[in-house]
Amino acid sequence: MPLLDIIPPHELSRLARFQGEPALAAIRREFVPAVTNPVWRGLVEEFMELDEPLTPYAHPRYTAWSFAASPGSGAHHGHIGGLALHVLQDLRNARALGDAHEARGLPLDRGLLYAAILLHDCLKRFVYAFDADYALHKSEDPFIARNEDHHSWVLRELVARGADEEIILATAAMHGLDDVSLAEGVKPLAVVNHYLDIGLTGLTMRPEHVRAEHAIGFLADSDWPWSGRAQQRTRELAEAMAPHCGVPTGYMHLYLGSRFSFEHVDGLLQDMGRELAMARLLEGGEEER
């Protein structure tokens, strides 16, 4: 197996050319133009390029990634370019679900749907970092929606800009349109209202507020049981490949995700088995050298 050249942690953004930059280009080409409301479109553009948030954050902030280079999560898409790839996947999921919805003759505000998806993860750019061993660290509560995290921060940023209730509720619904309560038993819309509370929006989501755009956005973002498992299976492959490529396991894992995506690696493992998948991945990585 060929040896890999290790990119130092402070230069990891170079890997965005494989997944993040093409994904961002597709987002801008296929979906941003569909956000025709000029205020929402302006918020999307601002948040994707944001250098300095207006509101405080309860945990330490890391140096901001570009949207194209940012990891997408600790549990899934935790590689360079993972945020853009994850958001593009959400948007394409939402487009397909929206097509099925509209095929029934039902109305749908695509601009609201796409704007909420584009906004809801943007503050991930400030909460992830890789250490000297290429392990990803995230500066937020370890359990999503329990306390402070990137999503509640997005909601505070929207409030700070005077965003309207329609876009705030749609963005809040992205991670919480279900009936699972965190502390007070089962009740409708518990998680989304928790987000609205810690986001200091002053709003409450009631059942009569729920729209098709909220449900479709929530469903479109719900790929993590699969994409997270793909990330785990790639880790297992990286452990086998790393010694042969002369790199630490952490770097091998990060490289495979950033270069090919964890989902693609997992697909090769399922289709080919470990040995053939390893050969295909190394062959596909030759152009980088």
Side-chain angles (χ1 to χ4, degrees), residues 43 47-48 50 53-57 83 115-127 140 148-163 167-168 170-172 174-175 195-196 198-201:
L43 288 168
F47 275 55
M48 291 175 71
L50 191 63
L54 299 178
T55 61
Y57 185 59
L83 174 60
I117 292 172
L118 286 161
L119 287 167
H120 86 285
D121 274 345
C122 277
L123 271 294
K124 284 182 174 181
R125 295 175 44 228
F126 296 86
V127 304
E140 58 182 346
E148 178 84 312
D149 58 38
H150 65 277
H151 193 177
S152 59
W153 199 8
V154 166
L155 297 179
R156 285 200 301 281
E157 289 291 304
L158 289 173
V159 171
R161 288 161 176 78
I167 191 62
I168 292 175
T171 304
M174 286 297 303
H175 282 160
Y195 264 131
L196 291 168
I198 60 177
L200 303 178
T201 68

Side-chain angles (χ1 to χ4, degrees), residues 52-203:
E52 185 60 36
L54 299 178
T55 61
Y57 185 59
H59 301 294
R61 281 173 41 185
Y62 294 125
T63 301
W65 297 91
S66 70
F67 193 91
S70 178
S73 176
H76 62 88
H77 297 95
H79 57 76
I80 302 302
L83 174 60
L85 188 64
H86 171 58
V87 170
L88 177 60
Q89 184 169 283
D90 282 4
L91 289 164
R92 288 177 169 168
N93 290 343
R95 181 168 61 192
L97 290 166
D99 288 346
H101 182 82
E102 290 181 331
R104 297 175 57 203
L106 302 173
L108 189 71
D109 187 336
R110 298 264 183 166
L112 178 64
L113 174 61
Y114 296 158
I117 292 172
L118 286 161
L119 287 167
H120 86 285
D121 274 345
C122 277
L123 271 294
K124 284 182 174 181
R125 295 175 44 228
F126 296 86
V127 304
Y128 298 128
F130 291 97
D131 64 19
D133 295 319
Y134 299 95
L136 188 147
H137 296 269
K138 60 179 186 176
S139 184
E140 58 182 346
D141 194 82
F143 184 85
I144 196 76
R146 180 171 289 163
N147 289 300
E148 178 84 312
D149 58 38
H150 65 277
H151 193 177
S152 59
W153 199 8
V154 166
L155 297 179
R156 285 200 301 281
E157 289 291 304
L158 289 173
V159 171
R161 288 161 176 78
D164 59 86
E165 178 176 321
E166 193 172 10
I167 191 62
I168 292 175
L169 290 179
T171 304
M174 286 297 303
H175 282 160
L177 201 63
D178 52 28
D179 62 358
V180 180
S181 174
L182 298 170
E184 302 174 21
V186 177
K187 63 179 183 178
L189 304 173
V191 175
V192 67
N193 279 322
H194 183 72
Y195 264 131
L196 291 168
D197 183 47
I198 60 177
L200 303 178
T201 68
L203 299 175

Side-chain angles (χ1 to χ4, degrees), residues 7-86:
I7 296 175
H10 66 280
E11 295 182 11
L12 285 173
S13 291
R14 289 162 47 191
L15 292 170
R17 68 187 187 275
F18 293 117
Q19 299 297 324
E21 291 175 7
L24 178 57
I27 288 168
R28 291 199 175 281
R29 181 177 64 250
E30 298 177 27
F31 296 99
V32 173
V35 183
T36 55
N37 180 306
V39 175
W40 299 346
R41 174 89 168 260
L43 288 168
V44 166
E45 294 285 3
E46 181 182 358
F47 275 55
M48 291 175 71
E49 302 284 345
L50 191 63
D51 291 325
E52 185 60 36
L54 299 178
T55 61
Y57 185 59
H59 301 294
R61 281 173 41 185
Y62 294 125
T63 301
W65 297 91
S66 70
F67 193 91
S70 178
S73 176
H76 62 88
H77 297 95
H79 57 76
I80 302 302
L83 174 60
L85 188 64
H86 171 58

